[in-house]
C-alpha cells in the first residue's frame, strides 16, 4: 500500500522554488485569491491538513487550529513578522509555528532607505510634477527637500532590519541613535556608531525616525499623537514594520498640520485599506507592503517556508521554530 502523503494548505501561491519542494513530498492544495484569503474558505479548507503555509494577512487563531483538527503539526508563515498567528494558542495545542527571519533583512532595509530618500528628496512628487507637464525649467526654489547626509537617524527596534538600516546610514555620515527592548552590545554600538536613547529622547533628537519593532501588545500605537508631537517639525517618519505600531489617524493629522514634515509608509493599520486622509497628502509616500519584495528574497523565503514545513512533517525540528516549548520534553 502506498504511504499517504501529508496534506498542506497554502493560502496563496508562493514562488516555485518552495512550492516544488513541498509538492515532491506532500499533497499540496494551493489557493490563489487576488486579495486576502477569505476566512470562511480557510475555516472549511483547513479541515484535515497537517501543515498550513500562510501569509501575514491570514489570521491564524485558535478557531482555525481547531477547525484543522489534532493532526495539524505546523503553521509555516511566509513572513518574518508573525503577529497574525496566535502563537500561545498553537503552543497549547502542540502545533509548531515558524517564520522566515534573516533572508529578507537587507531587502527590507533597502526599502526603508528607498522610502527615506524618496520622502526627504520628494522623489514621488517630482515624478508626478514632471509627468503632469509642470516642469518648465530648473528653478532655485523648485521642490526643495531635506538633506539626508549628516542628519540624525533614530531607529526604533534594533534587531536584524534596524541594524541593517543603521549600516546603510554610515555611508551618509549620519548620526545614529536607537531605541530597543534591550541595549545592543557595546562592540556592536561601536561598530555601527550607534547610541542608545530612551524613546522620548530619540523622538526629540532624530531628523528621521525609522520603525523596526515587531507588532505586539506593547508596540501597538507606540507612535501616537503624543509621540508625533515630540518629533521635530522638520522630521520624517518611516514605517516598514507593521501598520498598527503607528496611530494612522494621528499621523494623517500630523502630516496635514505640519507637526512633522513627511512620512514614508510601507505598512498600514488596516491593510489593504489606507486611511483616506493619507491618500490626499503629498508629503506621504505610500507603498503596498513591498519590504521583502525582490525576486531573490521572495524565492529564498519560499524555500525556507518549505524546509520548515517539511522538517516538521517528518517529526524533526524546523530551523525557524518560534515556539520551541512545543518540542521540549519530547
Ligand atoms: P528582529 O530581528 O526580531 O528585530 C526586532 C527588534 O525589535 C528586536 O531588536 C527587539 O528587541 C525589538 N523589540 C521587540 N519588542 C520591542 C518593544 N516592545 N520595544 C522596543 N523594542 C522591541 O526582527 P526583524 O527581522 O528586524 O523584523 C522586524 C519587523 O519588521 C518584523 O517583525 C516585521 O513585522 C517587519 N517586517 C516588515 C517587512 C515589510 O515587508 N515591510 C519585511 C520584513 C519585516 P530584542 O531583540 O531586544 O527583543
Ligand atoms: C513582512 O512584512 C514580513 O514580516 O516578512
Ligand atoms: C545642478 O544641476 C547643478 O549643476 O548645480
Amino acid at each position: 500500500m502506498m504511504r499517504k502523503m501529508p496534506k498542506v494548505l497554502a493560502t496563496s501561491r508562493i514562488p516555485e522554488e518552495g512550492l516544488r519542494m513541498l509538492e515532491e513530498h506532500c499533497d499540496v492544495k494551493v489557493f490563489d485569491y487576488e486579495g486576502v484569503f477569505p476566512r470562511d474558505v480557510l475555516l472549511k479548507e483547513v479541515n484535515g491538513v497537517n501543515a498550513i503555509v500562510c501569509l501575514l494577512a491570514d489570521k491564524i487563531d485558535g478557531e482555525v487550529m481547531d477547525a484543522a483538527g489534532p493532526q495539524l503539526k505546523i503553521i509555516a508563515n511566509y513572513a518574518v513578522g508573525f503577529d497574525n498567528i496566535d502563537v500561545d494558542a498553537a503552543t497549547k495545542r502542540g502545533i509548531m509555528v515558524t517564520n522566515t527571519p534573516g533572508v529578507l533583512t537587507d531587502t527590507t532595509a533597502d526599502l526603508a532607505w528607498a522610502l527615506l530618500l524618496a520622502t526627504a528628496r520628494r522623489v514621488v512628487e517630482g515624478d508626478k510634477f514632471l509627468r503632469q507637464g509642470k516642469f518648465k525649467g530648473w528653478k532655485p526654489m523648485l521642490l526643495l527637500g531635506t538633506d539626508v547626509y549628516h542628519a540624525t537617524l533614530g531607529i526604533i527596534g534594533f534587531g536584524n532590519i534596524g541594524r541593517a538600516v543603521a549600516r546603510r546610514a554610515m555611508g551618509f555620515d549620519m548620526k545614529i541613535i536607537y531605541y530597543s527592548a534591550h541595549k545592543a552590545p557595546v562592540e556592536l554600538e561601536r561598530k555601527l556608531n550607534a547610541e542608545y536613547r530612551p524613546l522620548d529622547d530619540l523622538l526629540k533628537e532624530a531628523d528621521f525616525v525609522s520603525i523596526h519593532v515587531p507588532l505586539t501588545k506593547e508596540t501597538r500605537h507606540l507612535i501616537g499623537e503624543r509621540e508625533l508631537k515630540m518629533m521635530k517639525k522638520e522630521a520624517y517618519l518611516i514605517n516598514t514594520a507593521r501598520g498598527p505600531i503607528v496611530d494612522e489617524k494621528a499621523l494623517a493629522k500630523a502630516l496635514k498640520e505640519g507637526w512633522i514634515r513627511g512620512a514614508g509608509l510601507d505598512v498600514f493599520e488596516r491593510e489593504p485599506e489606507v486611511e483616506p486622509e493619507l491618500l490626499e497628502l503629498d508629503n506621504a509616500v505610500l507603498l503596498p507592503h513591498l519590504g521583502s519584495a525582490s525576486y531573490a528574497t521572495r524565492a529564498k523565503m519560499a524555500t525556507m517556508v518549505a524546509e520548515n514545513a517539511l522538517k516538521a512533517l517528518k517529526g524533526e525540528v524546523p530551523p525557524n521554530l518560534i515556539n520551541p516549548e512545543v518540542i521540549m520534553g519530547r
Side-chain angles (χ1 to χ4, degrees), residues 153-155 158 175-180 183-184 188-190 192-198 202 205:
L153 173 62
I155 297 175
F158 211 46
K175 176 171 177 183
I176 301 162
I177 55 180
Y178 74 93
Y179 164 74
S180 206
K183 228 172 142 302
L188 188 84
E189 286 188 337
R190 216 171 280 147
L192 295 177
N193 207 8
E195 290 172 26
Y196 178 85
R197 293 281 187 281
L202 178 145
E205 192 177 335

Side-chain angles (χ1 to χ4, degrees), residues 34-220:
E34 198 189 335
V36 178
F37 191 52
R39 175 98 182 160
D40 55 329
V41 182
L42 174 62
L43 286 171
K44 186 169 150 276
E45 294 289 345
V46 79
N47 185 252
V49 306
N50 305 103
I52 302 175
V53 170
C54 53
L55 305 188
L56 54 88
D58 301 318
K59 189 170 180 245
I60 310 292
D61 53 15
E63 191 189 6
V64 174
M65 298 170 202
D66 291 339
Q71 78 298 327
L72 179 62
K73 277 210 167 52
I74 174 160
I75 300 162
N77 213 32
Y78 186 73
V80 66
F82 50 85
D83 48 277
N84 57 311
I85 300 171
D86 186 341
V87 178
D88 288 341
T91 306
K92 262 189 224 138
R93 291 164 176 78
I95 302 164
M96 295 186 235
V97 180
T98 59
N99 66 341
T100 61
V103 291
L104 44 56
T105 298
D106 285 301
T107 304
T108 307
D110 284 352
L111 191 89
W113 264 92
L115 280 173
L116 193 158
L117 288 167
T119 50
R121 298 303 302 272
R122 305 176 70 173
V123 171
V124 177
E125 272 181 278
D127 178 275
K128 235 186 272 174
F129 179 88
L130 183 143
R131 287 172 199 268
Q132 288 168 351
K134 293 180 181 165
F135 181 39
K136 306 294 182 203
W138 194 93
K139 282 283 176 194
M141 312 296 269
L142 177 64
L143 284 168
L144 304 187
T146 303
D147 283 321
V148 173
Y149 76 94
H150 293 180
T152 298
L153 173 62
I155 297 175
I156 299 180
F158 211 46
N160 286 328
I161 299 170
R163 292 169 193 193
V165 167
R167 282 200 300 277
R168 285 154 177 75
M170 295 175 82
F172 287 79
D173 288 330
M174 294 179 96
K175 176 171 177 183
I176 301 162
I177 55 180
Y178 74 93
Y179 164 74
S180 206
H182 303 92
K183 228 172 142 302
V186 176
E187 276 307 295
L188 188 84
E189 286 188 337
R190 216 171 280 147
K191 197 171 140 208
L192 295 177
N193 207 8
E195 290 172 26
Y196 178 85
R197 293 281 187 281
L199 181 59
D200 288 0
D201 294 357
L202 178 145
L203 292 168
K204 287 179 201 158
E205 192 177 335
D207 301 304
F208 296 90
V209 173
S210 192
I211 302 176
H212 303 286
V213 284
L215 174 61
T216 62
K217 279 197 294 297
E218 291 75 34
T219 63
R220 187 173 293 272

